[in-house]
Amino acid sequence: MSEQEAQRQAIARFGDPRTVARRFAPRLSPVPTAALLAALLRAATLLGAVALVAIGVSGLIAELFGDVFGAKFVSGDLPGTTYTPARCADFLEYFPRAGSCAHAAELHHWGEVVQYRVAAGVLGLLVLGGYALWHRRRREPRYLGVLPDGFTATVATALYGVAAAGLLLEGLNGLVEGSGSGQFLSGAIVSLVMAAVYGVSLYRTVLARGELTPA
């Protein structure tokens, strides 16, 4: 390769500036508590916003499940569940063509599952937009690399992995009992994907750390 391309690739292989600063630049002073709390707040805000968007995506999957397999698959009640006449009247008022109180209740619950999750996703997008604008305008922090490498990816991989396992178990239990399992399976699918995405990021961070660690 040309000299210019070789120089570009050599610089790129040093890694992220924060990583280089943390590993090779000596600390001139301890990191104050305020800087640590600020870094944790930024990480929590970003993780929370992404989680809200993931919830919104699970709502879209729940909508798809209901269209394909029916509302009962997403939000069906446990066998033996009954409603008072007044509650049935409410459900049938919303869905007069449902034909039965049970089906009207399924349609009502399905709508709630989808609407609330999509609303959470919209909120997450707004938070991400605000975070991006703030991040572009803020000054470079005085202390680089306050949090360890892969901190966010580690936390996210663990949380999404636990959520996926719990939701998957709830979904399988719903399949066995004949109640609405789609609301849990839709969340499990998204959680598995997010755990995989953050897991890959964590794996790459670990590999990069090994490459930069002096022999």
Side-chain angles (χ1 to χ4, degrees), residues 118-141:
V118 170
V122 172
L123 176 60
L125 290 175
L126 292 176
V127 175
L128 282 178
Y131 182 89
L133 289 175
W134 172 81
H135 191 269
R136 287 181 60 183
R137 295 181 180 181
R138 74 186 180 98
R139 294 179 298 177
E140 185 68 21

Side-chain angles (χ1 to χ4, degrees), residues 23-59:
R23 297 228 176 94
F24 301 108
R27 292 278 189 200
L28 300 180
S29 61
V31 177
T33 303
L36 176 60
L37 292 177
L40 288 173
L41 180 59
R42 288 194 297 270
T45 300
L46 186 58
L47 283 174
V50 172
L52 287 174
V53 174
I55 291 173
V57 174
S58 74

Side-chain angles (χ1 to χ4, degrees), residues 19 58 69 90 95 121-122 133 140 159-160 174 180 185 194 215:
T19 302
S58 74
F69 303 109
D90 291 336
F95 303 97
V122 172
L133 289 175
E140 185 68 21
L159 291 179
Y160 283 113
L185 293 177
M194 296 301 295

Side-chain angles (χ1 to χ4, degrees), residues 23-24 208-215:
R23 297 228 176 94
F24 301 108
R209 185 182 182 86
E211 292 176 357
L212 291 175
T213 300

